[in-house]
Amino acid sequence: MPAPTRKVLGRLSLPERTFVADALRTETVGGVLLLAAAVAALIWANVPALHDSYESVSHYHLGPAALGLDLSVAHWAADGLLAVFFFVAGIELKRELVAGDLKDPRAAALPVVAALCGMAVPALVYTLTNLTGGGSLAGWAVPTATDIAFALAVLAVIGTWLPSALRAFLLTLAVVDDLFAILIIAVFFTADIDLAALGGAALGLAVFWVLLRQGVRGWYVYVPLALVIWALMYNSGVHATIAGVAMGLMLRCTRRDDEEHSPGERIEHLVRPLSAGLAVPLFALFSAGVSVSGGALGDVFTRPETLGVVLGLVLGKAIGIFGGTWLTARFTRASLSDDLAWADVFAVATLAGIGFTVSLLIGELAFDGDATMTDEVKAAVLLGSLIAATLATVLLKLRNAKYRQLYETEERDEDLDGIPDVYEEDDPAYHLRMAAIHERKAAEHRRIAELKAAERLAEVTGGAGEDDDRRA
């Protein structure tokens, strides 16, 4: 007997749908703030009267020099605030691995392969562009990252009704993307290592793990310890954001019988607004302030390094993610959900070409010491993300009527029990509730029909009497 065909990008389970909805709601708000911060940075850095103040604030140093932490404001934003972002990313990844879609190897194959292809192809596009044009290969990793907050901000601005399955696919892609971006940063952008500081950070992480396993609670224990671990990791030469993701991965994300939410879910719920609403927008404010004059934007298409970034984000991401998804479906004998078309997958793959936060960070690391090239690569990231967002907007708008129909179907709750009807179609109790609702409606309509019939009869009878009186 042949095995049943498995559907990819089908409707989410109810718990997963609820989690994804909550996560995306926060990320969407954060994405709008991120977009506003990026625009503010561009204005602040490009208005002649404000440019000097932007440079002064960005390069203002503060922090204890004795601890090796006398850093500029921009540096604090990149190494400090983004550690909060990667802490949340670590929790997301842990939850996906133990309780989410990545728990099932068959379900995990699609987003993992799509994400890997969505990183490999942009890197290949960048590399080929620079080998052909004689540019530097140092920025190969810049176009590999997807910025989920910025992508969701675009969705919020254009008002598309993208189905939850595609939104979840985008979120999972970004989670896997973040994991490999962290590995890239740790492996390829770590210079000299201070073994003593690294050993201290490892010891701090071990203490953090033991305290979690012993059930110790209290922010006053973990926050100071986290700061010490972060400082040691920074001084070790390994990028400090690695400390954030390591601590996130240590949190327990499975629920016990007496728990409504796991510790990881609770902490993520508390920290995600801080990450999306403060840490990432502030990073954008001090990283996106680059020159966007006509000449500078024109130069993006003439230098192989910047052209490679733009092509990697716009073409590499779309081709890689779409190709990885199609190949996974093809070779696992799976078929696309009946509600979707491959054009929808390509539109989401194009949307994933919005690479902002991590791409800007990798750009800074890849061309460290070359301020001019760093700014040009940042401009390329902004331009590439803008082009990808524009293309995705056009593609998604073409299917928006279909998306709205799917969204309304997913949200319909006629029995008013707080659970969408599509998740209760196999529950006899749901159908009994609906039968009772329809019976009450039928009884009400019969009552109204009888009342209207009586009123019409009275009008006819009354009208006939009046005619007889006039003839008399």
Side-chain angles (χ1 to χ4, degrees):
M1 182 177 177
T5 301
R6 186 171 60 86
K7 298 290 184 181
V8 298
L9 298 180
R11 185 175 294 121
L12 303 177
S13 66
L14 184 59
E16 186 70 9
R17 178 182 179 276
T18 302
F19 173 82
V20 168
D22 290 342
L24 294 180
R25 191 176 299 113
T26 304
E27 290 289 357
T28 300
V29 174
V32 174
L33 294 175
L34 173 62
L35 188 59
V39 172
L42 290 171
I43 294 172
W44 192 1
N46 285 276
V47 173
L50 302 175
H51 176 78
D52 289 344
S53 64
Y54 181 80
E55 292 295 320
S56 298
V57 173
S58 296
H59 295 101
Y60 180 78
H61 279 246
L62 68 159
L67 300 178
L69 297 175
D70 181 23
L71 310 178
S72 68
V73 170
H75 207 160
W76 275 111
D79 281 36
L81 292 177
L82 278 195
V84 179
F85 166 79
F86 279 110
F87 175 70
V88 174
I91 300 175
E92 286 179 337
L93 179 63
K94 178 69 172 288
R95 185 201 161 277
E96 288 289 337
L97 289 171
V98 301
D101 286 345
L102 301 184
K103 181 180 180 181
D104 180 358
R106 292 183 304 169
L110 178 66
V112 169
V113 171
L116 286 174
C117 292
M119 298 184 79
V121 176
L124 180 61
V125 169
Y126 177 94
T127 301
L128 291 176
T129 303
N130 282 269
L131 286 175
T132 304
S136 170
L137 299 181
W140 64 270
V142 175
T144 60
T146 294
D147 193 303
I148 183 63
F150 219 136
L152 292 173
V154 170
L155 291 177
V157 169
I158 67 176
T160 185
W161 302 84
L162 198 64
S164 58
L166 286 178
R167 289 178 183 265
F169 178 58
L170 185 63
L171 178 62
T172 307
L173 274 176
V175 170
V176 178
D177 207 300
D178 287 341
L179 167 66
F180 286 101
I182 292 162
L183 292 177
I184 287 172
I185 290 170
V187 174
F188 295 99
F189 297 105
T190 295
D192 298 330
I193 295 180
D194 185 326
L195 293 178
L198 185 61
L203 179 61
L205 288 170
V207 173
F208 188 87
W209 185 85
V210 170
L211 291 175
L212 288 172
R213 292 300 173 271
Q214 293 298 318
V216 176
R217 295 191 174 187
W219 65 268
Y220 46 84
V221 174
Y222 291 103
V223 171
L225 178 59
L227 291 174
V228 170
I229 294 170
W230 175 87
L232 288 168
M233 189 69 76
Y234 175 82
N235 282 288
S236 74
V238 177
H239 200 270
T241 53
I242 305 300
V245 75
M247 286 184 279
L249 287 169
M250 289 183 180
L251 291 173
R252 177 169 60 83
C253 293
T254 53
R255 301 176 191 176
R256 292 175 178 164
D257 293 339
D258 59 340
E259 292 179 333
E260 184 178 358
H261 301 287
S262 68
E265 289 173 325
R266 289 198 305 271
I267 293 173
E268 181 186 19
H269 181 72
L270 291 173
V271 179
R272 184 186 286 277
L274 175 64
S275 169
L278 181 66
V280 174
L282 281 177
F283 168 76
L285 183 64
F286 293 108
S287 292
V290 296
S291 174
V292 290
S293 65
L297 292 178
D299 290 344
V300 166
F301 296 100
T302 61
R303 299 201 59 162
E305 295 88 352
T306 50
L307 180 61
V309 170
V310 172
L311 293 178
L313 289 172
V314 177
L315 297 179
K317 274 290 182 182
I319 294 170
I321 292 173
F322 179 82
T325 305
W326 186 86
L327 289 172
T328 303
R330 173 70 177 81
F331 288 103
T332 59
R333 295 184 179 180
S335 63
L336 191 65
S337 170
D338 295 335
D339 294 330
L340 301 174
W342 283 108
D344 302 317
V345 179
F346 187 79
V348 170
T350 304
L351 187 66
I354 301 174
F356 190 76
T357 306
V358 179
S359 291
L360 291 177
L361 175 62
I362 294 177
E364 291 179 354
L365 297 174
F367 297 100
D368 186 29
D370 188 343
T372 301
M373 180 59 74
T374 298
D375 281 349
E376 290 177 350
V377 166
K378 286 182 178 182
V381 170
L382 294 173
L383 186 58
S385 298
L386 179 61
I387 294 172
T390 303
L391 290 175
T393 298
V394 173
L395 294 173
L396 291 171
K397 278 295 187 181
L398 292 174
R399 295 270 292 170
N400 207 31
K402 175 66 174 177
Y403 296 153
R404 183 163 189 164
Q405 181 183 357
L406 292 174
Y407 177 84
E408 290 172 349
T409 300
E410 288 182 354
E411 293 295 316
R412 188 176 297 116
D413 181 19
E414 292 186 356
D415 61 342
L416 303 177
D417 67 342
I419 300 175
D421 296 339
V422 292
Y423 292 98
E424 300 182 296
E425 292 172 348
D426 295 329
D427 183 2
Y430 161 75
H431 292 284
L432 291 174
R433 288 196 300 273
M434 290 304 300
I437 290 171
H438 287 303
E439 286 166 3
R440 287 196 298 271
K441 289 182 178 179
E444 178 65 14
H445 283 296
R446 280 193 292 269
R447 186 188 68 79
I448 294 173
E450 291 169 358
L451 179 62
K452 296 297 182 183
E455 291 175 352
R456 182 174 296 179
L457 180 61
E459 289 175 1
V460 171
T461 304
E466 291 172 1
D467 290 343
D468 292 343
D469 289 344
R470 281 196 301 270
R471 283 196 294 271

